[in-house]
Amino acid sequence: KSTIINMAKTITVLSLLAAALGSFYSVDAAAAALVDSATKINFDDKLGDLSLFGVGVRKKGPIKVYSVGMYSGEDAKESIASTPKSDALSTLSKSITASNETSFVLKMNFKVGAEKMAAAIAESVNPRASNKAQVETLKKLILDGVAAKGAATPGTTLQFDCSDEGVKVSVDGNEIGVAPGLKEAFCEVYLDDKCVSPALRNSCVENCCN
């Protein structure tokens, strides 16, 4: 009888331990996902093998046009994690441009026409790029992808996968094409001192620096 009682106690303890561990991991996973405080738009903690670094809003005057999340590899995150916050912004830019792949996911909060959306992004990339023909290719890909659905309405997702091959453009999960080159120029749109979303840079530093 005592053996049965002891077994029952052991099973109870193990069940409680399993429940506690499950709770811990679910909280940890939830903490890795982020919400842009300006728009309340949510970003998953993972994009394939890439990890979420931070999120921020892109404003045009008082208008919150879209939220952007940046995803990259663990090697880049480790470089930033070991850097003092005073040097973090510089390290962030260098680590991301050196990374094999970085993705920027834009989630629309405000309706923007296809031509205006394509032009706005191209105008941001253009002064940072040496090859203007590549910028025109990027602009056309964005235009084609957004025009296919009429406009970049709230909820529309634009994804830009930056690698040594170039910048791959996808709209709502549909791959449109690749603009060759432009990896560094596109990353600088969101990471240099004149970036279009200071909130994104600050979020990356806060989330990645120990």
Side-chain angles (χ1 to χ4, degrees):
K1 186 177 180 179
S2 60
T3 302
I4 294 174
I5 292 172
N6 288 335
M7 286 178 64
K9 287 181 178 179
T10 301
I11 291 170
T12 301
V13 170
L14 289 173
S15 298
L16 291 172
L17 181 60
L21 285 171
S23 175
F24 171 79
Y25 283 116
S26 63
V27 169
D28 185 60
L34 295 173
V35 176
D36 180 7
S37 60
T39 61
K40 309 307 178 190
I41 292 175
N42 181 71
F43 289 83
D44 292 335
D45 61 320
K46 287 283 188 180
L47 182 67
D49 294 329
L50 304 181
S51 298
L52 179 62
F53 278 48
V55 301
V57 66
R58 167 61 161 133
K59 289 184 176 180
K60 199 70 173 176
I63 299 172
K64 300 168 186 175
V65 183
Y66 62 77
S67 291
V68 53
M70 187 183 80
Y71 296 81
S72 196
E74 286 299 323
D75 53 340
K77 183 171 281 190
E78 288 171 6
S79 297
I80 301 162
S82 59
T83 304
K85 282 193 175 182
S86 57
D87 301 322
L89 289 177
S90 174
T91 302
L92 174 66
S93 181
K94 291 175 183 176
S95 298
I96 292 302
T97 52
S99 182
N100 291 331
E101 186 177 355
T102 298
S103 293
F104 295 89
V105 177
L106 282 53
K107 297 186 178 184
M108 300 303 298
N109 184 62
F110 185 83
K111 182 180 179 180
V112 180
E115 290 189 9
K116 195 169 185 179
M117 190 69 195
I121 294 176
E123 285 169 10
S124 295
V125 176
N126 193 57
R128 297 169 167 91
S130 57
N131 190 321
K132 306 308 179 184
Q134 292 175 343
V135 178
E136 285 302 312
T137 299
L138 176 67
K139 181 178 179 180
K140 186 177 187 308
L141 291 173
I142 299 169
L143 176 60
D144 290 348
V146 176
K149 62 174 296 176
T153 52
T156 299
T157 298
L158 289 81
Q159 183 172 321
F160 300 90
D161 301 323
C162 305
S163 67
D164 292 337
E165 179 187 3
V167 178
K168 181 169 72 175
V169 180
S170 300
V171 177
D172 287 341
N174 300 312
E175 183 179 334
I176 309 303
V178 178
L182 299 181
K183 171 189 172 184
E184 186 173 341
F186 197 94
C187 289
E188 286 177 350
V189 170
Y190 293 96
L191 297 176
D192 68 15
D193 292 337
K194 296 180 180 179
C195 64
V196 300
S197 178
L200 172 64
R201 286 207 314 170
N202 294 336
S203 174
C204 290
V205 170
E206 288 299 318
N207 289 307
C208 297
C209 279
N210 291 330

